[in-house]
Amino acid sequence: MDKVVRVGLLGFGTVGTGVVRVLTENASLIAQRAGTAIAIKKILVRDPNKKRALSTAAELTTDPASVIRDPEIDIVVELLGGEEPARTLMLEALNQGKHVVTANKDVMAKYGRELFEAAEKNNVNLLFEASVGGGIPIIRPLKRCLAANRISEVMGIVNGTTNYMLDKMTSEGMDFATVLAEAQAKGYAEADPTADVGGLDAARKIAILASIAFGTRVRLDDVSAEGITKIEPEDIDYGRELGYVIKLLAIAQETDKGVNARVHPAFIPLTHPLAAVRDAFNAIFIRGDAVGDAMFYGRGAGSLPTASAVCADIMEAARDIAHHSSSHILCTCFEEKRISPISETESPYYIRLLAEDKPGVMAAIAGAVGAQQVSLNSVIQKRRVGTRAEIVLITYKVKDEDLQLAVQTLSGLSVVNKVSTVIRVVGVDAE
Ligand code: NAP
Ligand code: HSE
């Protein structure tokens, strides 16, 4: 073991600090398992004078070229976040013949193809396990362990911030702003948490997973994304009464209509395995024709869990360098498949609305939704809000485009003051 594989880190924030910690504290077992010692030589930061949570022997620099052009550095690990300069620096590193490891789903979801092409051209590896599911192994299982399966569905909770927030809002009645601040303080949220709460972070992750699972490029624009910003405490309360919990789900399916990928809040039964996924944990179900159902569960965000995945990628690249081998699996999008829009998907729905509290209103509501082929499974009227009645409708399974028309029709009724929330119900057999 005379060679030392040298790493250049781009970023020394939440994840970068975790990577330095794991590579330092577990150095000897990592060297044994990788077949080579691994040392961090340089770290790119914005502000080298900032007080850091961890001290390091590596040189801190603000000059990206001094890292990615350093001939002694074999592996560049990008942990800056955001699209630029991360994308450009990763491309330059690949073109310099460096292996690249990243946790960046923003770049992988949008520029995966061009990065894979650069890696292929330069015969180096591009590894991105931490970009989805934090510490949970999911990219490598999909690319390797489940590679013999025809996969029909990938579904789960892939954003730690929103799962943490929904969990605290449900179990402790915390308000949105307070619990978001907590998730930020714990290092779960992105630098700009809009992507977490708006569903974009989960959309990027399901685009990556769907592309690998179905062997076709699923672009970010192909994913319909809705976050948790419209969820109100009333919806959480009604859900509890009905035996549901609200989760932000990312779902990708391949059907005879093509591939669909979407992110939206959903009511799931309290008995569903995803209902037990709490805090910042993530869980991902995969359905394959040979394996059946497989579930991956663990910490989806945070410094050390994410570092665990990044360090495994560094070790994979280091092993190849040490053994002069090349075990790369780069782009696996071998086919162009039809993207099936969310309007073609089906599920039961929960609709909460405010209406006039007078005779004939229920009949008008039932008639309006019935006209769009939407039939009602149950109707609840429990309380008044001022002079209005709050009404909750649960539909049977309905096509999304019919449901949207029904909501438009409802909103146009003179007796309906406001359609407050519309949430899909997932994991029930309501026909
Ligand atoms: P972070 O805490 O904001 O850290 C970013 C680091 O990059 C900081 O050290 C910052 O320098 C440096 N940096 C940013 N822009 C730079 C620039 N233009 N030039 C030089 N340095 C720059 O971010 P993070 O939470 O570690 O996330 C890093 C990546 O991992 C992101 O892609 C994120 O999506 C992904 N990820 C994060 C988690 C998580 O739980 N946090 C989980 C999975 C994946 P300074 O320290 O000097 O400010
Ligand atoms: N902000 C992300 C999350 C980090 O909360 O899941 C992990 O990708």
Side-chain angles (χ1 to χ4, degrees), residues 138-183:
I138 188 66
I139 307 281
R140 199 172 274 102
L142 271 175
K143 284 195 168 194
R144 293 183 187 268
C145 319
L146 299 172
N149 285 259
R150 191 175 293 277
I151 298 200
S152 54
E153 184 171 44
V154 179
M155 177 177 96
I157 295 168
V158 295
N159 183 267
T161 302
T162 46
N163 201 52
Y164 180 83
M165 292 175 67
L166 288 171
D167 187 31
K168 293 280 176 188
M169 287 160 74
T170 305
S171 60
E172 295 174 28
M174 284 177 73
D175 70 85
F176 191 95
T178 309
V179 75
L180 173 57
E182 265 197 23

Side-chain angles (χ1 to χ4, degrees), residues 12-15 45-47 50 52 79 81 103 105 187 190 302 306:
F12 195 17
T14 304
V15 183
V45 291
R46 258 183 307 228
D47 175 6
K50 190 163 152 183
R52 305 277 162 188
L79 302 169
K105 54 266 167 170
E190 297 301 304
T306 311

Side-chain angles (χ1 to χ4, degrees), residues 347-353 355 360-380 391-413 415-416 418-419 421-422:
S347 67
Y349 281 78
Y350 154 102
I351 303 167
R352 180 167 60 86
L353 53 87
V361 169
M362 286 297 189
I365 288 173
V369 298
Q372 306 301 337
Q373 318 306 321
V374 176
S375 45
L376 296 177
N377 185 345
S378 57
V379 178
I380 304 166
I391 298 172
V392 165
L393 313 174
I394 307 286
T395 74
Y396 282 104
K397 195 188 259 186
V398 52
K399 206 166 165 188
D400 179 84
E401 64 184 357
D402 293 335
L403 191 281
Q404 300 309 333
L405 285 174
V407 170
Q408 267 179 32
T409 314
L410 278 175
S411 305
L413 288 181
V415 292
V416 170
K418 181 181 167 197
V419 175
T421 327
V422 177

Side-chain angles (χ1 to χ4, degrees), residues 129 132-139 281-284 296-300 305 309:
E129 183 61 65
V132 183
I136 309 176
I138 188 66
I139 307 281
F281 280 82
N282 283 190
I284 301 159
F296 298 79
Y297 171 79
R299 287 202 178 272

Side-chain angles (χ1 to χ4, degrees), residues 22-38:
V22 174
L23 286 183
T24 311
E25 290 179 3
N26 294 352
S28 60
L29 82 82
I30 286 175
Q32 252 172 2
R33 291 174 185 173
T36 172
I38 298 173

Side-chain angles (χ1 to χ4, degrees), residues 57-107:
E59 176 191 334
L60 299 197
T61 174
T62 55
D63 175 17
S66 79
V67 182
I68 54 186
R69 290 178 183 268
D70 184 330
E72 283 192 359
I73 287 179
D74 308 287
I75 305 171
V76 169
V77 181
E78 184 281 311
L79 302 169
L80 302 171
E83 287 185 19
E84 289 295 350
R87 165 183 159 265
T88 303
L89 295 180
M90 279 195 262
L91 274 174
E92 281 183 30
L94 293 167
N95 288 326
Q96 287 292 317
K98 317 283 188 200
H99 298 274
V100 167
V101 171
T102 181
N104 192 323
K105 54 266 167 170
D106 307 33
V107 172

Side-chain angles (χ1 to χ4, degrees), residues 122-324:
N122 294 289
N123 191 29
V124 287
N125 211 341
L126 169 64
L127 295 143
F128 50 101
E129 183 61 65
S131 66
V132 183
I136 309 176
I138 188 66
I139 307 281
R140 199 172 274 102
L142 271 175
K143 284 195 168 194
R144 293 183 187 268
C145 319
L146 299 172
N149 285 259
R150 191 175 293 277
I151 298 200
S152 54
E153 184 171 44
V154 179
M155 177 177 96
I157 295 168
V158 295
N159 183 267
T161 302
T162 46
N163 201 52
Y164 180 83
M165 292 175 67
L166 288 171
D167 187 31
K168 293 280 176 188
M169 287 160 74
T170 305
S171 60
E172 295 174 28
M174 284 177 73
D175 70 85
F176 191 95
T178 309
V179 75
L180 173 57
E182 265 197 23
Q184 286 177 292
K186 285 176 180 283
Y188 303 150
E190 297 301 304
D192 175 2
T194 321
D196 293 296
V197 297
L200 181 58
D201 178 80
R204 288 172 172 140
K205 291 168 177 168
I206 199 71
I208 295 170
L209 292 183
S211 297
I212 302 170
F214 307 129
T216 188
R217 175 77 42 208
V218 176
R219 293 164 187 82
L220 192 53
D221 288 347
D222 298 327
V223 184
S224 148
E226 180 190 333
I228 63 164
T229 50
K230 292 188 194 144
I231 305 292
E232 297 189 51
E234 290 83 345
D235 302 311
I236 293 172
D237 292 343
Y238 278 114
R240 190 179 293 114
E241 272 184 48
L242 292 161
Y244 297 130
V245 63
I246 302 180
K247 295 287 183 188
L248 185 69
L249 296 188
I251 303 174
Q253 291 155 325
E254 181 167 8
T255 67
D256 52 4
K257 297 189 199 114
V259 168
N260 78 71
R262 54 207 158 97
V263 171
H264 53 70
F267 276 125
I268 55 170
L270 286 166
T271 50
H272 193 282
L274 288 177
V277 178
R278 303 196 49 190
D279 205 85
F281 280 82
N282 283 190
I284 301 159
F285 279 104
I286 308 276
R287 180 162 295 163
D289 59 353
V291 74
D293 285 351
M295 182 175 172
F296 298 79
Y297 171 79
R299 287 202 178 272
S303 180
L304 287 176
T306 311
S308 159
V310 172
C311 291
D313 279 354
I314 295 173
M315 289 167 71
E316 182 172 325
R319 221 174 273 123
D320 272 352
I321 294 165
H323 299 122
H324 306 286

